[in-house]
Amino acid sequence: MAELTDSGVLLRMAYRAMQNAGIDADAVLAELGLDASILDVPDLRTPHDGQEWFWQALEKVSDDPHVGLHLGKHMPVYKGQVLEYLFLSSPNFGEGLDRALSYQRLLSDAARAELFDEGDRVFLRQPFWGRRLAHLNECVMMGLIKFFRFVTDDAFEPLEIHFGHANQGELEEYQRAFGCPVKFDMPSVGVYFDAELLTLPSAHHEPELLRLHEQLASEQVARLEKQDLVAQVNRLIAELLESGHANLEEVAERLGIKARQLRTRLADAGTNFNQLVADYRCKLAKRLLAGTDESIDEIVYLTGFSEPSTFYRAFKRWVGMTPIEYRRMKAEEDAAEARRLAASAGRAADPDPG
């Protein structure tokens, strides 16, 4: 099973929302060991498991136990992405929604939204996100309604909101924020709206653009599937190296495909098995040399090499220095950083009265 990830656009929108709300966005990222430069990473995807840590950090920095609801009010409208273009270029809101649901993993691998017809109203349900992500559910629901209003020229109005978590504040505040009844401790997260909205025509419908947008969405999903394969192979490499050796045939067997198929699919993803093994060994060796006191002999074993001399040659080829030189360099860098922090703390504790 590939690791679930979220599109980087969610983090970028949250960052802007924090700025709009007067929250120290950089401090929130710092709590997570990140800085704002991550927002500039092309095709950024973040681990979905990190959502829980993000919202804990945001609640801590903002000192707001209802930060999900409050941040949602400051969320920018979701724009400039292929899902928006699918909505706008479709004949009507219902067809745009169907297409967006087909490609929802572009926004998040954890998205499992489904549409249920209940006669004169429909229910858009997201069964996946759990009770531990109450802030995320509330913020995303606010953002979803803003987006639906945007693509329908303000015709969209929610009839009823459901959340799986318990009520965390004043019910009246929730109902004012969403403009409709809000229910908690429900089996799923979702929103009811009038079924007539499904046939609402799009003023931006354009068949030729729609075909182009669907092609673009399909290409982006295919790219994610290639990344999934590489991530699965990397995890199996890590597991197999623990027992001594990782080879193409065994990884292919674990994936339930032929070695030839795996080789072809990795080539299609722009890499190959030997390169993935080398990259993993290099990263592991650097981490062990810089962050542990493991002996070189033990690192040779942990990285799957049979002889220290082979490891030394490979590491020199990867990094441009020997393992001992690399460990010494990282130790010197850490010592210099410690001295800098100590000096900075000293200045803060004893400011110049002049």
Side-chain angles (χ1 to χ4, degrees):
M1 175 68 179
E3 178 185 51
L4 299 178
T5 61
D6 300 322
S7 169
V9 71
L10 295 179
L11 182 59
R12 295 185 186 103
M13 290 174 65
Y15 189 87
R16 284 180 56 194
M18 288 186 283
Q19 292 178 317
N20 294 341
I23 298 170
D24 190 340
D26 290 333
V28 174
L29 294 183
E31 284 283 329
L32 301 168
L34 304 172
D35 61 55
S37 63
I38 192 175
L39 302 175
D40 299 322
V41 175
D43 299 322
L44 174 66
R45 301 284 295 190
T46 57
H48 184 71
D49 286 346
Q51 286 283 359
E52 185 173 358
W53 304 112
F54 172 81
W55 289 101
Q56 287 177 0
L58 180 50
E59 182 175 339
K60 176 183 176 181
V61 171
S62 66
D63 194 27
D64 180 1
H66 312 301
V67 69
L69 178 65
H70 296 156
L71 190 72
K73 299 175 183 178
H74 296 278
M75 270 287 185
V77 175
Y78 176 78
K79 291 183 182 179
Q81 305 294 318
V82 69
L83 294 183
E84 176 205 349
Y85 304 147
L86 285 173
F87 263 102
L88 295 178
S89 56
S90 290
N92 55 51
F93 178 73
E95 290 194 36
L97 182 55
D98 284 340
R99 288 186 173 90
L101 292 177
S102 297
Y103 296 106
Q104 58 187 303
R105 78 161 297 193
L106 294 179
L107 194 61
S108 173
D109 294 330
R112 299 288 188 273
E114 300 174 280
L115 194 64
F116 294 88
D117 186 348
E118 299 188 9
D120 61 349
R121 65 180 193 168
V122 291
F123 186 50
L124 181 61
R125 184 184 76 179
Q126 165 58 268
F128 189 86
W129 293 332
R131 295 170 186 267
R132 294 179 293 108
L133 293 175
H135 290 322
L136 173 65
N137 289 329
E138 292 174 7
C139 187
V140 166
M141 184 62 71
M142 187 74 71
L144 184 71
I145 291 170
K146 283 185 178 183
F147 175 71
F148 284 171
R149 285 174 173 158
F150 165 68
V151 296
T152 61
D153 294 324
D154 288 327
F156 182 89
E157 288 297 336
L159 299 177
E160 186 174 288
I161 303 292
H162 287 191
F163 289 120
H165 58 270
N167 184 4
Q168 303 185 78
E170 294 294 331
L171 185 60
E172 292 77 11
E173 181 183 5
Y174 281 95
Q175 296 186 161
R176 281 196 305 271
F178 290 107
C180 67
V182 179
K183 295 183 178 181
F184 296 89
D185 292 312
M186 302 302 288
S188 60
V189 178
V191 54
Y192 278 100
F193 59 90
D194 194 320
E196 290 187 1
L197 283 169
L198 295 176
T199 59
L200 181 71
S202 171
H204 306 278
H205 171 50
E206 175 53 60
E208 184 62 29
L209 286 177
L210 178 57
R211 284 192 289 272
L212 290 174
H213 296 151
E214 286 197 291
Q215 180 181 348
L216 177 60
S218 296
E219 290 171 354
Q220 291 184 5
V221 168
R223 188 159 61 244
L224 289 179
E225 290 172 349
K226 292 174 184 177
Q227 293 172 4
D228 288 344
L229 174 66
V230 171
Q232 287 177 300
V233 171
N234 277 328
R235 273 192 291 277
L236 289 171
I237 287 172
E239 290 178 17
L240 293 170
L241 278 180
E242 288 184 4
S243 60
H245 186 63
N247 60 67
L248 177 73
E249 289 71 22
E250 188 162 358
V251 169
E253 183 179 349
R254 296 280 192 98
L255 292 172
I257 61 177
K258 295 183 182 301
R260 183 177 65 256
Q261 290 176 295
L262 178 57
R263 190 179 294 110
T264 300
R265 290 175 61 184
L266 288 176
D268 191 40
T271 188
N272 60 69
F273 186 77
N274 289 339
Q275 184 62 54
L276 292 179
V277 172
D279 289 346
Y280 179 82
R281 282 172 157 174
C282 178
K283 291 174 184 176
L284 178 60
K286 289 166 72 174
R287 186 166 69 247
L288 293 171
L289 288 165
T292 74
D293 294 324
E294 295 281 5
S295 69
I296 298 296
D297 285 344
E298 183 65 16
I299 293 174
V300 168
Y301 169 76
L302 292 172
T303 51
F305 286 91
S306 57
E307 297 289 339
S309 60
T310 310
F311 170 68
Y312 269 76
R313 285 195 299 272
F315 193 86
K316 183 72 179 289
R317 185 173 66 251
W318 296 331
V319 183
M321 61 182 75
T322 68
I324 293 174
E325 289 169 340
Y326 180 82
R327 173 169 270 176
R328 183 183 304 120
M329 179 193 73
K330 298 303 290 185
E332 290 172 353
E333 288 178 354
D334 290 345
E337 178 66 9
R339 289 193 297 271
R340 187 191 67 78
L341 291 174
S344 177
R347 287 192 297 272
D350 186 22
D352 184 354

